[in-house]
Amino acid sequence: MENALKLFSQKGFYNTTIPDIAKAMKMSVGNMYNYFSSKEELAKYAIKYSTNILALELREINNMEISSKEKVSIFVNKYLENVQKSPEVIEYFLRVYLSNREVFKQGCEGFLCVGEFVTEVMILLDTGAQNKEFREQEFFPAFAMIMGCLGGFAFLSGEKVLDKDLLEYSDAVADNIYRALKYEE
Amino acid sequence: MKNKEKPTVVWFQAITCNGNTHSLLSANSNRLELFFDSFNLIYHPSLTIDKSLDDILNSNSKIDFLLVEGSISNNKKFFQISNNSTYNHLTKLIKKATYVISVGSCASFGGIHAMFKEHVGVKSVKEYFDKTLLKHQIINLGGCPVHPEWLLQTMFLLKDYGRIALDNEGRPKELYSSLVHHGCTRNEYFEWKVEGEFGTKEGCLFYDQGCRGPMTHGSCNKILWNDVSSKTRAGMPCVGCTEPTFPRDDMLNTKKNIGIPFEVPLGIPKRAYLSITGVAKTFKIDRLNKKLMD
């Protein structure tokens, strides 16, 4: 699946063919169709696969007995590590899922394919607000504050415009996100 | 009311707004008639009865059913009836009684009178008398007010069978094992996360209006009020009046953290609930976003 993610991320959804993916996965084209009825179905499976990697990481963090500030810090660090080590996972989301909405409009509407990850972000925010670490606000601005910031950084990294190593920005990014969410007396 | 064959009933009013009495008098007329035909109501302070409270207190006769409306106080200065506290009166009455039924939220759980910290010593019947040697457990009929049919069903069950299964709060399981959510005509709106507004027929009142239907035990949507309606059917959120936690602060608002409900339906882990919510919200069902009648 990582191979498929890489191909989609590098070549784009429309320029990637099933034979390309079959070749990268060392499978016959016929066998590929045993698993996925179309390229669209493969793309939908891929978005579930890639966001579930992040969902599992965030769930582990959510289950830790630490402050929400520390959770944000660890999550940002893990996310940027993913961008560095497995850029295809993040880039697939940014360059294929967000850019080709027409491919995902049936069967992947709204939160259908990214639900597990969005749920974990909800748990992170809900716990922080209950502990009075995060201030009360609507969900989507808070969600976009976290994911917009991280997505933006993944984009800057992909474009190779950052001055320093990606992980050196981790603390500053986490601090910015925390400041945007934190409870104010 | 002279028939000695019928079980005797005493209705004692303590600290109350009389809401449960009003509720009983609003019962289905056939059922109320059956009640008066089947039981001997020998005392009720709001009805024309030939006995006074003192007559009852000074009598050696047993009472089959002692119905208590209102919360109880042992402080005569705070509240008294016939120069005595409600606690002292009830102490005497309970000793005569076979069945004791707390009618409504105040008698069952303290209710609105017990919520103020200034009201020291104002408690439910069970808080004062739980350790009293009664033949039967004190039965709590939570509700503000209690549905008249719940009271009548409880009394007929006890009259005919002598016992009734109770939940952990002392409420009859027959009437309180399901949630107010069951039978709610807005359930499809709840499933697909379509929000509603106060006073309208459409939409779910759980998301913004504070509806406690999914976490409140009661038969309001199964045994309808006046045989035709319920709070949620009429566009009023359930305020959870059958639960010991009633009344809560800010009852018509859903408490949320960053748009996420603080409490989720009973028995569902929050993570699972949020996951299902996210998926359900994905679907925009035109039919559920329209008025039922234009």
Side-chain angles (χ1 to χ4, degrees):
Chain A
M1 189 48 64
E2 279 92 350
N3 290 326
L5 289 173
K6 264 182 202 165
L7 278 174
F8 276 135
S9 306
Q10 287 162 6
K11 298 174 73 168
F13 176 78
Y14 290 105
N15 291 330
T16 306
T17 62
I18 287 274
D20 292 339
I21 298 164
K23 193 178 167 190
M25 292 171 83
K26 293 180 181 152
M27 287 167 82
S28 71
V29 172
N31 197 20
M32 276 291 295
Y33 280 107
N34 284 333
Y35 295 97
F36 303 102
S37 58
S38 65
K39 195 168 72 169
E40 283 77 8
E41 288 307 307
L42 173 59
K44 287 172 197 168
Y45 183 81
I47 190 62
K48 286 183 193 166
Y49 175 88
S50 59
T51 52
N52 280 2
I53 293 173
L54 294 173
L56 284 173
E57 283 185 354
L58 186 50
R59 181 178 295 193
E60 267 184 41
I61 296 165
N62 277 336
N63 288 337
M64 291 177 179
E65 298 282 329
I66 54 175
S67 70
S68 295
K69 185 179 183 182
E70 287 170 294
K71 286 178 185 174
V72 168
S73 173
I74 295 172
F75 175 58
V76 168
N77 197 264
K78 290 237 180 202
Y79 184 94
L80 295 182
E81 271 179 13
N82 270 315
V83 172
Q84 205 164 50
K85 289 178 190 166
S86 317
E88 66 279 1
V89 170
I90 309 299
E91 287 190 1
Y92 182 79
F93 181 84
L94 295 173
R95 293 173 197 271
V96 181
Y97 180 67
L98 292 185
S99 312
N100 299 280
R101 295 302 304 140
E102 68 284 3
V103 175
F104 299 93
K105 72 182 175 192
Q106 277 196 329
C108 256
E109 303 96 327
F111 291 159
L112 270 185
C113 292
V114 295
E116 286 194 41
F117 177 66
V118 176
T119 298
E120 292 308 325
V121 178
M122 283 181 171
I123 297 278
L124 174 75
L125 292 170
D126 182 50
T127 310
Q130 278 192 44
N131 296 341
K132 292 257 186 264
E133 279 194 76
F134 295 158
R135 72 190 154 83
E136 184 51 37
Q137 58 172 305
E138 284 187 42
F139 171 71
F140 286 114
F143 178 81
M145 186 58 234
I146 300 174
M147 297 320 299
C149 185
L150 292 176
F153 238 81
F155 176 78
L156 294 175
S157 174
E159 294 299 309
K160 303 191 188 321
V161 295
L162 296 174
D163 302 328
K164 295 188 275 188
D165 181 74
L166 182 61
L167 288 176
E168 286 187 45
Y169 294 99
S170 180
D171 288 348
V173 174
D175 192 47
N176 275 351
I177 292 174
Y178 175 70
R179 282 167 185 256
L181 301 174
K182 78 171 182 176
Y183 186 80
E184 287 162 343
E185 291 293 341
Chain B
M1 292 187 196
K2 303 277 183 189
N3 187 344
K4 285 179 184 171
E5 297 295 310
K6 296 176 189 173
T8 53
V9 180
V10 166
W11 184 296
F12 176 66
Q13 280 187 323
I15 307 169
T16 176
C17 69
N18 296 3
N20 297 287
T21 293
H22 281 277
S23 179
L24 176 68
L25 295 175
S26 302
N28 173 303
S29 57
N30 290 333
R31 299 282 291 163
L32 195 59
E33 201 174 317
L34 182 65
F35 167 71
F36 285 121
D37 285 346
S38 308
F39 292 88
N40 186 10
L41 182 62
I42 58 173
Y43 173 74
H44 190 303
S46 300
L47 302 179
T48 307
I49 304 272
D50 46 13
K51 286 185 192 299
S52 68
L53 180 60
D54 281 342
D55 291 338
I56 302 292
L57 290 167
N58 296 327
S59 161
N60 291 325
S61 303
K62 297 292 283 179
I63 301 166
D64 293 310
F65 289 89
L66 174 61
L67 309 183
V68 185
E69 177 183 21
S71 41
I72 310 302
S73 170
N74 59 5
N75 185 349
K76 246 174 77 172
K77 288 179 186 163
F78 179 74
F79 189 88
Q80 59 175 290
I81 298 169
S82 292
N83 300 319
N84 217 334
S85 72
T86 49
Y87 171 79
N88 286 339
H89 285 314
L90 200 52
T91 305
K92 286 184 187 168
L93 291 170
I94 271 186
K95 285 176 187 162
K96 303 170 190 283
T98 303
Y99 300 104
V100 177
I101 302 178
S102 296
V103 182
S105 291
C106 294
S108 297
F109 307 117
I112 199 162
H113 307 291
M115 75 176 285
F116 300 99
K117 64 178 189 298
E118 296 85 358
H119 292 189
V120 180
V122 175
K123 297 178 183 178
S124 69
V125 175
K126 202 163 188 170
E127 282 174 292
Y128 270 124
F129 296 99
D130 203 23
K131 286 171 186 157
T132 309
L133 286 174
L134 285 168
K135 286 182 197 150
H136 297 276
Q137 240 181 297
I138 293 170
I139 294 163
N140 286 329
L141 295 181
C144 186
V146 71
H147 193 300
E149 189 62 23
W150 303 355
L151 174 61
L152 298 183
Q153 280 194 19
T154 303
M155 292 187 68
F156 277 105
L157 260 170
L158 290 170
K159 176 177 169 288
D160 293 341
Y161 299 101
R163 60 196 170 90
I164 192 167
L166 302 177
D167 69 10
N168 292 336
E169 301 294 344
R171 301 171 296 195
K173 285 184 180 174
E174 187 75 26
L175 299 160
Y176 293 86
S177 57
S178 59
L179 302 176
V180 171
H181 190 52
H182 295 150
C184 178
T185 49
R186 296 164 188 271
N187 280 356
E188 200 183 6
Y189 296 102
F190 177 78
E191 283 168 32
W192 301 109
K193 313 299 162 199
V194 179
E195 292 173 12
E197 285 176 25
F198 192 94
T200 60
K201 287 182 184 297
E202 302 83 6
C204 178
L205 305 168
F206 172 73
Y207 304 110
D208 283 322
Q209 318 291 327
C211 183
R212 303 282 293 176
M215 51 272 267
T216 299
H217 295 87
S219 314
C220 296
N221 276 310
K222 291 164 84 179
I223 300 172
L224 299 176
W225 290 78
N226 298 323
D227 293 337
V228 293
S229 196
S230 69
K231 275 196 176 69
T232 58
R233 288 183 185 209
M236 162 77 187
C238 166
V239 291
C241 73
T242 56
E243 297 292 338
T245 48
F246 174 83
R248 294 166 299 109
D249 290 336
D250 206 9
M251 287 194 286
L252 301 181
N253 272 317
T254 302
K255 191 179 174 197
K256 285 181 271 192
N257 291 315
I258 312 195
I260 298 159
F262 177 66
E263 285 180 86
V264 297
L266 274 186
I268 302 171
K270 196 169 216 178
R271 180 175 271 115
Y273 176 77
L274 294 178
S275 184
I276 292 166
T277 304
V279 171
K281 272 193 168 177
T282 295
F283 299 95
K284 298 281 176 244
I285 302 167
D286 284 347
R287 180 171 53 83
L288 297 179
N289 286 291
K290 285 179 183 166
K291 282 275 183 194
L292 287 168
M293 289 183 281
D294 289 322

